[in-house]
Amino acid sequence: MGCLDEKQVNIIVNGHEPNLFESIIASVNDPKLLKEAEKAGAEGINILGMCCSGAEVLSRHGVPHAGNFMSTEAVLITGAVDCMAVDVQCIMPALAPLAECYGTKFFTTNPRAKMEGAQHIEFDEFKPRQCSDKIVKEAIGRFKNRKVPIVIPQNKSLGIHGFSHEYINYMLGGTFRASYVPLNDNIINGRIRGVVGVVGCTNPRVRQDYVHVELVKELIKNDILVVQTGCSQIALAKAGLMKPDASVLAGDGLQEVCETVGMPPVLGLGSCVDNSRILIACAEMVKTGGLGDSIADLPVAGVAPEWYSEKAIAIGQYVVASGIYTVFGVTFPTIADTKFHNLLFDGLEKQGFGKWGFAKEPDQMAAMIIDHIDKKREALGIMGERERVLMDMADRQALEVEEAAE
Ligand code: SF4
């Protein structure tokens, strides 16, 4: 929240559809609207993201992020938010009356998600600026007429985000030799024990961010590279784990890889609807070779430790169907020991898919995931760490002589 700026018009966009956010970015860079903000006495227009819309533009444009799902009400209490615009999903029902208390303009934009107490400015995909320009003008109007005291917590965290599956290629293989080979090599030689996607929501039934942060710390300590989407990565960014120097918290093997490449041990890939990017990365690992014939063979897992959104279940199921062990926390919507529950938690794996798991505490989740990864490493025959032998010229010449003799 330290990215809010009292001297500027502050606009927050929250939801899931990047087109609203893209259009607002265009509006806040319009010289006419910037002039209007200046006339109102503002030093500029400050745009921030929240939840998954925010995670998307954080990755694509480096727009600062003001907090995950559990912060969406709290941010209004700063009094500094001149306007909040939302589209669909993860919009707390109390936002409209809360915004009213602070004089913050609150807009819904999607015809499927209107809210009592909110002003609706419909977003037309063919004329997007009609909606976003109006939102920006309304925000400038509120800036001029601010009536509440402003208290901005002065906390900012730096993070490196935007590791798409395409970028991982370049990060590991270099500009000219883009490849997943270094990742697979380091999994095979044991420096990286496995890869886990820690993704999704923050849940009001548990202490904010606690399960995400403790789980990720335990995983990286055990040499597991973590990839992230959604609100989870904001929890880890606040905890300082999305920076390269966080590699000091990783086990020796993962730390060595992170330091060599200059990457954090926790990689943010985008919003919660970008979990498909993680699956594409898994498919690339299989295609690169050395780690089995399908995603189900890889030493990987997925976990949504604080899921709450119904779509998390749909995402979890396609991850399981793709062959990945997937652990959920807080609650699970099936009844233990029923035929259906047993199919999800056991039967699917026997059919060659992944399977579901459930645990509440971060250390339990980490233990289950590490056991699974070790089981997969055992099956691949890469359980023991194998040191890479560095060859000098004499070793190479000896090899060439041997090959020629054969
Ligand atoms: S990660 Fe979950 S809580 Fe966060 S925006 Fe996405 S669906 Fe909502």
Side-chain angles (χ1 to χ4, degrees):
M1 289 184 198
C3 293
L4 290 163
D5 183 349
E6 187 170 352
K7 296 191 178 125
Q8 297 197 51
V9 177
N10 292 303
I11 299 176
I12 288 190
V13 185
N14 178 13
H16 282 81
E17 297 186 336
N19 43 13
L20 170 68
F21 216 137
E22 292 286 345
S23 184
I24 290 197
I25 291 173
S27 295
V28 299
N29 285 300
D30 184 323
K32 272 195 276 162
L33 290 171
L34 284 168
K35 193 96 206 142
E36 233 176 271
E38 203 184 305
K39 267 202 245 154
E43 285 185 1
I45 306 176
N46 185 30
I47 186 164
L48 295 123
M50 287 203 98
C51 282
C52 277
S53 281
E56 190 65 40
V57 291
L58 173 66
S59 288
R60 289 179 189 273
H61 300 293
V63 171
H65 201 286
N68 55 23
F69 181 53
M70 292 310 300
S71 301
T72 48
E73 291 175 342
V75 77
L76 296 185
I77 295 164
T78 61
V81 182
D82 295 301
C83 135
M84 182 182 269
V86 303
D87 50 54
V88 292
Q89 284 190 2
C90 303
I91 315 300
M92 295 261 191
L95 282 174
L98 185 61
E100 204 185 334
C101 294
Y102 290 86
T104 296
K105 303 275 180 178
F106 183 68
F107 301 110
T108 52
T109 57
N110 192 291
R112 293 164 296 167
K114 296 178 181 171
M115 286 169 73
E116 207 178 311
Q119 191 180 331
H120 188 72
I121 306 177
E122 196 137 319
F123 184 81
D124 178 344
E125 288 179 6
F126 296 98
K127 296 174 200 140
R129 289 286 300 272
Q130 279 184 359
C131 170
S132 56
D133 284 6
K134 194 156 180 218
I135 287 170
V136 174
K137 283 181 189 161
E138 290 276 349
I140 295 170
R142 193 277 186 173
F143 178 89
K144 262 197 291 195
N145 296 301
R146 281 182 184 171
K147 291 191 176 69
V148 291
I150 290 176
V151 183
I152 300 173
Q154 293 305 311
N155 296 328
K156 285 187 197 175
S157 309
L158 283 176
I160 299 178
H161 297 256
F163 291 90
S164 65
H165 60 89
E166 295 97 337
Y167 183 72
I168 289 173
N169 253 326
Y170 296 110
M171 178 185 77
L172 293 166
T175 310
F176 300 108
R177 287 175 295 121
S179 154
Y180 272 67
V181 170
L183 175 63
N184 282 23
D185 273 358
N186 279 299
I187 292 174
I188 293 165
N189 69 30
R191 286 194 185 90
I192 297 178
R193 193 170 186 166
V195 183
V196 172
V198 182
V199 302
C201 318
T202 47
N203 191 310
R205 295 183 196 212
V206 294
R207 176 147 57 97
Q208 183 170 6
D209 299 339
Y210 164 74
V211 188
H212 291 279
V213 173
E214 294 310 311
L215 170 64
V216 169
K217 279 188 187 161
E218 191 59 27
L219 292 175
I220 64 171
K221 197 170 85 190
N222 283 282
D223 292 316
I224 292 172
L225 177 65
V226 171
V227 292
Q228 292 214 285
T229 61
C231 287
S232 180
Q233 75 187 289
I234 304 307
L236 272 298
K238 283 188 281 175
L241 270 82
M242 312 292 283
K243 296 181 291 186
D245 53 12
S247 63
V248 292
L249 299 173
D252 291 346
L254 178 60
Q255 187 176 348
E256 194 183 330
V257 175
C258 291
E259 282 174 0
T260 307
V261 178
M263 70 180 195
V266 185
L267 308 177
L269 271 82
S271 70
C272 51
V273 286
D274 290 323
N275 287 308
S276 50
R277 290 181 181 165
I278 299 178
L279 285 181
I280 294 171
C282 289
E284 285 296 325
M285 286 162 72
V286 175
K287 215 159 75 183
T288 300
L291 292 172
D293 299 323
S294 84
I295 290 177
D297 296 333
L298 295 172
V300 301
V303 50
E306 296 184 26
W307 80 281
Y308 97 90
S309 163
E310 68 285 1
K311 83 169 182 286
I313 285 281
I315 293 171
Q317 181 59 20
Y318 78 60
V319 173
V320 168
S322 303
I324 297 178
Y325 178 45
T326 304
V327 179
F328 270 34
V330 191
T331 56
F332 200 85
T334 57
I335 299 165
D337 294 330
T338 54
K339 200 171 168 189
F340 180 56
H341 181 91
N342 292 342
L343 174 73
L344 297 180
F345 281 70
D346 189 32
L348 288 175
E349 191 181 39
K350 291 186 181 133
Q351 295 174 34
F353 300 107
K355 65 174 179 176
W356 286 90
F358 173 72
K360 286 190 175 175
E361 294 301 325
D363 53 338
Q364 284 174 316
M365 288 177 188
M368 286 157 60
I369 289 167
I370 291 167
D371 277 356
H372 175 80
I373 282 176
D374 285 351
K375 193 178 81 181
K376 293 292 172 185
R377 293 186 66 86
E378 192 87 59
L380 288 165
I382 56 170
M383 197 51 192
E385 187 174 333
R386 283 192 252 149
E387 269 309 311
R388 182 182 286 188
V389 181
L390 288 174
M391 293 184 155
D392 60 17
M393 191 49 80
D395 294 328
R396 282 181 203 284
Q397 280 166 349
L399 263 185
E400 277 161 22
V401 171
E402 274 173 33
E403 275 167 15
E406 279 171 18

